[in-house]
Amino acid sequence: MQLDILTPEHKVYSGTVYGIQLPGIEGSFEILDHHAPIIASLGRGKMKIMKDKNHTENYEIAAGFVEVLNNKATVLIEGATSID
């Protein structure tokens, strides 16, 4: 699926991924390739980008939203810091 992660200042990530784990306001959830359409609110927490089954990137994010439509996920967040 195509993933775009944006903050007001810059683009954090853009590319094809296997899935993404996000901190929802009521708990963590995961979006995988070909997920059903969804719009969800995000809270502060850890976001994991799964490039494939063996490679990931991790970020600490502030609040925001995610929209999934036509196998494209767009994540709009207030800020993101890369973590290992």
Side-chain angles (χ1 to χ4, degrees):
M1 106 180 117
Q2 174 63 34
L3 174 64
D4 292 315
I5 302 172
L6 308 166
T7 70
E9 291 82 29
H10 68 286
K11 184 180 291 189
V12 175
Y13 185 91
S14 182
T16 303
V17 299
Y18 168 72
I20 184 169
Q21 292 177 351
L22 296 161
I25 57 172
E26 294 187 13
S28 182
F29 65 98
E30 187 171 270
I31 297 171
L32 297 176
D33 203 18
H34 300 290
H35 195 283
I38 184 175
I39 295 176
S41 297
L42 304 175
R44 184 174 301 274
K46 293 182 182 176
M47 172 179 67
K48 180 191 277 188
I49 300 169
M50 298 175 288
K51 294 182 176 183
D52 58 39
K53 293 184 180 182
N54 299 316
H55 299 91
T56 64
E57 285 186 24
N58 297 293
Y59 293 87
E60 186 73 30
I61 68 166
F65 295 92
V66 60
E67 176 191 44
V68 179
L69 186 62
N70 299 324
N71 209 36
K72 179 179 180 183
T74 304
V75 180
L76 305 172
I77 49 178
E78 293 177 15
T81 304
S82 180
I83 56 175
D84 292 326

